[in-house]
Amino acid sequence: MQRILWLIAMLTFSLQLSAQQRPGGFAGGKPPSIGRLYGKILDNEGKPMPYTSVIVFQNRFDSATKTKKDVLIKGAITQNNGEFNLEELPIMGPLILKISATGFKPYSQAISFMTKKPAPGTMPSFDKDLGNIKLTSDISQLQGVTVTGTKPLMKVDMDKKVFNVEKSISSAGGTAQDVMKNVPSVNVDIDGNMTMRNATPQLYIDGRPTTLTLDQIPADAIESVEVMTAPSAKYDASGGGAGIVNIVLKKNRKTGYNGNLRAGVDKRGGINGGADFNLRQGKLNLTASGMINQMRDRTTGKTDRYDISSDPDIHTLQENTSKSNGGFMFGRLGADYFATNRTTLSVSGIRVHGSFKPSSILDINTDTLFSGAPATAFSRRVTAGKREFNGTGLVLGLKHLFPHEGEELTVDANYFGGKATNSSNYNTDFYNVKGGAVTSNQLEKISGNGKMRNITTQTDYVKPIGAKGKLEAGLRASFRHIENANYNYLFNEATGLYDLTSGNTSNYKNNESVYAAYVTFSNSIHNFSYKLGLRGESSKYTGELIQTGQQFSNSYPTSLFPTIFLSQKFKHDQEVQLSATRRINRPNFFQLIPFADSTDKLNITKGNPGLVPEFTQSLELSYLKTFKGNHTFLGSVYYKYTDNTITSYIDRQTDPTTGNTALINTFINAKGSYTTGAEITVQNYFTKWWDMSTNINMYNSKVDAGQTAVANQKALWSVFGKLNSNFKLPAAMELQLTATYQSKTNLPINTNNGFGGGPPGMEAQSSSQGYIRSFYGIDLALKKSFLKSKALSATIAVSDIFRTRKTDQYSYSAYFTQNYNRLRNPQMIRLNIAYRFGKIDASLFKRKSQGAGNQGMMDGMQ
């Protein structure tokens, strides 16, 4: 209760200061030079004009003469086709564009960079297509250019919230898992499982679904995170009612070359390092990045369970200590070819490799509970294993901009494939009592492998209609193939060999295809805006248990997914938004595979090939208020209902290894579930040196299993809060404090797992049968910048300072009651050093069509 009061008090404090005006107009001080102008010069007959001078001036105050004068900002020479391109222009203050050519009157245009609010539901653009400019005797004035350049901590659009990752200094040298700890609305547990409003969102990278997990994506490669609680029809309808979390990777298209180097180490000796390099000149832009990250995981856990349906009842106490040494490598290479100012061809590839050697010691103490002398038993299991995965991705893209501003066509093809292997050796000693003599021994080993292939093609078209209208349409097709093989062996003392246990061995493969089409239309009428969309998707799933030939399949006809977004602006920078969406969540591979992993007899897991998709209907009402100084308040109330909810539950079934009856954690389609709540996000800029974001989500959730044999989850009100505070200190230092709090809450439903080559190491728990006890965590990071340009920096970060960010769960059913807790990598300390370099005006590629003289003139103007 004290922690809840603390969160409410902090929110109240934030609101009281929201009305204060923040000095200065930009969070970083000087406005960035990120404007871009481009177009095509034609003569009076409509023919392109090459080698035409295009120059931009700005009227500035001259301290020497005490007067204002025009200062040259940027210049260029048109190409053979008459096109020109001017980048890195200042976004504040009036500019003058001048075009001159022999035989034509000079063309001059005053360009105003006064900020105008973009149409609701649209992203502000830093690019301006001036279209085709004809040099005639009459000079036509072009419409003023609108460019906005601030990069706040949070930006709110009609269907998403965008969070700037650059200010998350505590995640330096870490992974996306560390980044998500600082993103409002998103909760990440100690194993990297991500939830949003107590459900699992779909993870995207650069707008495309991914099978990578958070700990396989380096934090330093991330530019921003987009949170979509109610995605529009443009996005994939799968992923359940929790929405989409889209990770946007860094891209750099500055002229010349630039990059950065970084290296770090944690308190256990795990090192990380990486480098990024970008080269841009003329029509070609090259990017390359690479990273290595060693991990030294340490985890302790305990399971205390009473089996109350056996005769006699059994009490089991299981204590576990585990560690995992290994790491992963991440590489990315990309190229953009600017065929024209309006057509860009892109190709990029990623490569991921991971290798881990997990080991653990598991102590199990068992007591039978009945009158008279109880029987006790003790065992110790020592495990040594190895897991490896390799992933390769390739993306091809084409983007074409039409002369009419805002009209564009994109075509993408995306491939990601990977392979994984896993092996484990188990040595179990059995005792009558703990500390006694060994009475027997069991040797067991598991080996497995898996591979997957995911291919997606998509095309999108955007067409402005009228002054504020916009039509968007697209097609998408995705194909996924997954294979998995697991072999379980028991040692035969008589033969001295390992015998394959067919009952606990599975070779399985499946194919899934999804076809989709969508259309959306948005428009504004005065201060009222709307965005209507409709998406259609059909899917098919086939699976085969290879060793038995048993086949499973489901084919789902076309389902429609409408989306509605309404927005009304009021005076004093206020806005009210209403959204209604429908989404689908299909069962993943590990939930479908009929393989029972019984290596841990207390936590046997098994999939259910009979699962069907779940459908979620969501409704959300939001209020946005912007105060002076860019303080913002965003409040939302929401409700979502899911039918055929996919949820895990524990049932009494036959253990395929022993043939005995045991408790097995599997999956069912529950009758339904709902979540309703209210969320508040406040962003404050108190002074030039202090800003803070506060996020509080209060919600009520319940799963209705709809089966008499399954205990239903009780409805429960819960609170989740997150605070992120940044301080700019003297001597070029920055301090960041992050705090999270989760009250008692129902276990999240349908936690999807990424590709790993075998069933995940799930613990005995059930979404419809239990809850998570309250916990909190606090992280702290300090960054120091060096050199006049601040190109060199050092960051030290401490996560989970008070060892309180843990998993503490209670599960129950008609068969058992269980307490389960784990603590992973508390008080982790990381030190990172980063250095950025670059020469923005480098001339590394010379165009033969322009010649050395023209190129030298361009270099001088830059």
Side-chain angles (χ1 to χ4, degrees):
M1 186 62 186
Q2 290 179 346
R3 298 190 185 108
I4 296 178
L5 293 176
W6 173 80
L7 285 171
I8 295 175
M10 184 57 68
L11 176 63
T12 303
F13 177 66
S14 300
L15 292 175
Q16 289 175 346
L17 293 177
S18 292
Q20 296 184 14
Q21 183 171 358
R22 179 192 177 197
F26 290 87
K30 184 180 178 181
S33 296
I34 54 178
R36 179 188 176 214
L37 300 176
Y38 59 94
K40 189 172 185 177
I41 309 301
L42 306 176
D43 61 17
N44 54 354
E45 296 180 355
K47 297 180 180 180
M49 297 183 58
Y51 311 115
T52 301
S53 174
V54 183
I55 304 175
V56 173
F57 293 90
Q58 186 174 44
N59 193 260
R60 295 179 177 176
F61 179 76
D62 186 358
S63 58
T65 61
K66 306 297 182 181
T67 59
K68 287 189 175 183
K69 66 178 183 179
D70 290 338
V71 177
L72 178 64
I73 300 299
K74 190 77 66 172
I77 301 296
T78 59
Q79 304 175 35
N80 289 333
N81 59 1
E83 293 184 347
F84 67 91
N85 181 40
L86 297 168
E87 298 184 359
E88 300 171 23
L89 299 175
I91 63 173
M92 297 297 293
L95 299 180
I96 300 175
L97 175 72
K98 293 186 177 182
I99 303 173
S100 60
T102 304
F104 295 86
K105 288 186 176 182
Y107 178 95
S108 179
Q109 169 63 45
I111 300 175
S112 174
F113 281 81
M114 296 297 293
T115 301
K116 296 181 180 179
K117 294 183 179 179
T122 62
M123 292 286 289
S125 174
F126 301 142
D127 294 352
K128 181 67 176 179
D129 188 348
L130 299 182
N132 297 330
I133 302 175
K134 284 188 177 182
L135 298 185
T136 62
S137 57
D138 296 326
I139 301 177
S140 60
Q141 296 293 319
L142 297 178
Q143 184 180 0
V145 179
T146 300
V147 177
T148 57
T150 59
K151 200 169 186 179
L153 195 65
M154 178 185 71
K155 183 183 181 302
V156 179
D157 289 320
M158 184 173 288
D159 56 354
K160 63 186 173 184
K161 292 178 286 186
V162 183
F163 298 94
N164 177 20
V165 175
E166 291 181 1
K167 292 190 175 183
S168 178
I169 62 177
S170 62
S171 62
T175 65
Q177 183 174 333
D178 301 294
V179 171
M180 293 302 170
K181 293 177 182 178
N182 297 316
V183 175
S185 303
V186 177
N187 190 13
V188 181
D189 67 14
I190 62 174
D191 294 313
N193 296 314
M194 180 172 52
T195 57
M196 191 163 62
R197 295 178 177 176
N198 209 41
T200 304
Q202 180 80 358
L203 181 63
Y204 277 36
I205 293 181
D206 285 338
R208 304 173 182 89
T210 180
T211 56
L212 294 177
T213 57
L214 292 179
D215 60 358
Q216 296 170 358
I217 306 170
D220 297 307
I222 301 174
E223 178 177 294
S224 63
V225 175
E226 298 175 345
V227 175
M228 291 173 269
T229 56
S232 70
K234 179 179 180 179
Y235 297 96
D236 191 2
S238 66
I244 294 173
V245 173
N246 182 37
I247 293 177
V248 180
L249 300 180
K250 291 179 179 178
K251 300 176 180 64
N252 194 339
R253 291 183 176 180
K254 290 184 178 180
T255 303
Y257 70 88
N258 54 86
N260 64 76
L261 303 172
R262 55 191 180 275
V265 63
D266 62 35
K267 73 174 185 179
R268 296 197 181 100
I271 63 173
N272 70 82
D276 303 306
F277 183 75
N278 184 84
L279 180 63
R280 165 76 190 276
Q281 192 70 24
K283 289 180 175 290
L284 191 62
N285 181 71
L286 299 175
T287 59
S289 62
M291 180 177 180
I292 60 171
N293 195 323
Q294 287 186 334
M295 297 182 179
R296 302 287 187 266
D297 283 351
R298 301 295 183 267
T299 305
T300 59
K302 183 171 68 174
T303 302
D304 192 350
R305 186 160 87 179
Y306 287 89
D307 291 324
I308 56 180
S309 63
S310 57
D311 187 16
D313 294 345
I314 297 175
H315 172 227
T316 304
L317 179 63
Q318 179 174 285
E319 297 179 288
N320 177 267
T321 58
S322 63
K323 63 180 181 179
S324 178
N325 294 332
F328 73 92
M329 295 184 292
F330 179 94
R332 185 169 181 262
L333 182 65
D336 301 296
Y337 177 69
F338 307 102
T340 69
N341 278 341
R342 301 189 179 106
T343 303
T344 302
L345 302 175
S346 301
V347 58
S348 64
I350 64 171
R351 176 70 174 175
V352 183
H353 170 75
S355 179
F356 303 91
K357 293 183 177 181
S359 62
S360 66
I361 298 176
L362 181 67
D363 290 342
I364 303 177
N365 195 84
T366 304
D367 299 305
T368 56
L369 305 177
F370 56 89
S371 59
T376 63
F378 176 77
S379 64
R380 168 168 289 182
R381 189 185 76 179
V382 178
T383 305
K386 184 177 181 180
R387 297 177 64 89
E388 288 189 0
F389 65 85
N390 292 280
T392 303
L394 179 65
V395 178
L396 302 175
L398 179 147
K399 184 173 184 178
H400 178 73
L401 305 178
F402 295 87
H404 188 282
E405 182 181 2
E407 184 180 3
E408 64 180 48
L409 173 69
T410 59
V411 180
D412 291 306
N414 180 38
Y415 165 84
F416 186 85
K419 296 181 178 180
T421 59
N422 63 283
S423 62
S424 297
N425 293 314
Y426 304 90
N427 186 346
T428 306
D429 289 329
F430 298 91
Y431 307 78
N432 287 329
V433 294
K434 186 175 183 179
V438 176
T439 58
S440 62
N441 174 267
Q442 177 179 287
L443 298 178
E444 183 181 6
K445 68 177 182 180
I446 288 181
S447 64
N449 62 81
K451 62 181 180 180
M452 64 83 62
R453 180 178 65 252
N454 192 10
I455 299 175
T456 303
T457 59
Q458 181 167 334
T459 179
D460 302 279
Y461 174 72
V462 180
K463 171 69 174 179
I465 298 177
K468 299 180 180 180
K470 183 169 66 173
L471 177 70
E472 298 179 77
L475 301 171
R476 183 177 184 270
S478 66
F479 310 93
R480 176 175 293 184
H481 174 79
I482 298 180
E483 296 182 18
N484 191 83
N486 283 277
Y487 303 93
N488 185 284
Y489 302 87
L490 288 175
F491 184 73
N492 189 327
E493 293 185 357
T495 62
L497 301 174
Y498 280 91
D499 296 334
L500 181 67
T501 59
S502 58
N504 199 25
T505 295
S506 174
N507 295 332
Y508 191 82
K509 65 179 180 180
N510 81 310
N511 292 281
E512 181 183 12
S513 58
V514 180
Y515 301 92
Y518 78 90
V519 60
T520 68
F521 179 75
S522 58
N523 203 353
S524 298
I525 304 174
H526 301 295
N527 290 326
F528 174 75
S529 303
Y530 62 90
K531 185 175 185 179
L532 308 177
L534 182 64
R535 186 180 186 90
E537 287 191 358
S538 65
S539 62
K540 182 179 181 180
Y541 164 83
T542 60
E544 180 182 355
L545 199 59
I546 298 175
Q547 68 268 28
T548 64
Q550 186 179 5
Q551 295 185 349
F552 314 92
S553 65
N554 280 314
S555 181
Y556 304 103
T558 301
S559 298
L560 298 180
F561 303 94
T563 59
I564 301 174
F565 297 89
L566 306 177
S567 174
Q568 176 66 52
K569 289 186 176 181
F570 299 94
K571 295 180 179 179
H572 309 298
D573 293 320
Q574 301 179 91
E575 185 175 353
V576 174
Q577 298 178 350
L578 176 67
S579 67
T581 61
R582 182 175 189 253
R583 294 177 58 76
I584 186 175
N585 188 62
R586 303 174 183 90
N588 66 28
F589 173 68
F590 295 116
Q591 293 168 337
L592 291 167
I593 181 173
F595 168 74
D597 181 3
S598 58
T599 52
D600 184 349
K601 301 302 180 184
L602 197 62
N603 301 301
I604 304 174
T605 61
K606 183 181 180 180
N608 177 7
L611 294 174
V612 298
E614 60 183 26
F615 290 86
T616 299
Q617 290 71 230
S618 301
L619 188 67
E620 183 170 349
L621 178 66
S622 301
Y623 168 75
L624 174 65
K625 166 66 176 175
T626 302
F627 299 89
K628 292 183 179 180
N630 286 330
H631 302 281
T632 59
F633 170 86
L634 175 65
S636 303
V637 292
Y638 58 89
Y639 174 82
K640 60 182 180 180
Y641 178 81
T642 302
D643 53 16
N644 290 324
T645 304
I646 300 173
T647 179
S648 62
Y649 85 106
I650 294 177
D651 195 11
R652 187 171 290 278
Q653 299 181 11
T654 300
D655 182 353
T657 303
T658 64
N660 299 326
T661 301
L663 296 180
I664 294 181
N665 187 21
T666 185
F667 300 90
I668 62 169
N669 282 112
K671 181 179 179 180
S673 63
Y674 76 82
T675 300
T676 184
E679 184 176 22
I680 296 173
T681 302
V682 180
Q683 183 178 338
N684 298 109
Y685 297 94
F686 301 128
T687 67
K688 289 183 178 180
W689 51 268
W690 181 22
D691 65 76
M692 182 170 67
S693 64
T694 308
N695 173 252
I696 295 178
N697 179 28
M698 181 177 292
Y699 57 93
N700 180 273
S701 60
K702 186 183 188 317
V703 175
D704 181 4
Q707 299 184 27
T708 57
V710 179
N712 283 317
Q713 185 185 70
K714 296 180 180 179
L716 181 64
W717 279 102
S718 305
V719 176
F720 171 74
K722 182 174 287 188
L723 175 72
N724 190 301
S725 191
N726 300 280
F727 304 88
K728 291 184 179 180
L729 306 178
M733 291 194 296
E734 298 176 55
L735 180 69
Q736 183 178 75
L737 173 69
T738 303
T740 58
Y741 171 71
Q742 174 67 68
S743 71
K744 178 182 175 181
T745 182
N746 283 323
L747 288 168
I749 58 176
N750 199 11
T751 302
N752 294 313
N753 291 273
F755 173 68
M762 295 181 293
E763 302 295 339
Q765 64 182 38
S766 170
S767 302
S768 58
Q769 299 160 273
Y771 55 81
I772 300 174
R773 294 184 175 90
S774 63
F775 68 90
Y776 70 96
I778 296 178
D779 306 327
L780 191 66
L782 179 65
K783 178 180 179 181
K784 165 68 176 175
S785 298
F786 301 90
L787 306 180
K788 185 177 180 179
S789 61
K790 298 183 179 181
L792 179 65
S793 65
T795 304
I796 184 168
V798 185
S799 61
D800 195 13
I801 296 176
F802 301 110
R803 301 174 63 91
T804 52
R805 186 178 284 120
K806 59 184 179 180
T807 296
D808 193 355
Q809 300 175 354
Y810 174 73
S811 302
Y812 62 92
S813 75
Y815 310 115
F816 76 98
T817 61
Q818 174 178 286
N819 288 286
Y820 164 76
N821 63 75
R822 289 174 68 241
L823 184 63
R824 181 182 179 188
N825 293 331
Q827 297 176 328
M828 175 58 71
I829 302 174
R830 281 198 304 262
L831 173 64
N832 272 80
I833 298 176
Y835 174 73
R836 69 174 186 271
F837 60 90
K839 184 180 180 183
I840 303 304
D841 61 347
S843 176
L844 301 179
F845 295 104
K846 292 186 177 181
R847 302 184 186 181
K848 295 181 180 180
S849 62
Q850 292 180 342
N854 289 336
Q855 183 65 44
M857 181 175 63
M858 290 180 64
D859 292 343
M861 291 189 294
Q862 290 179 355

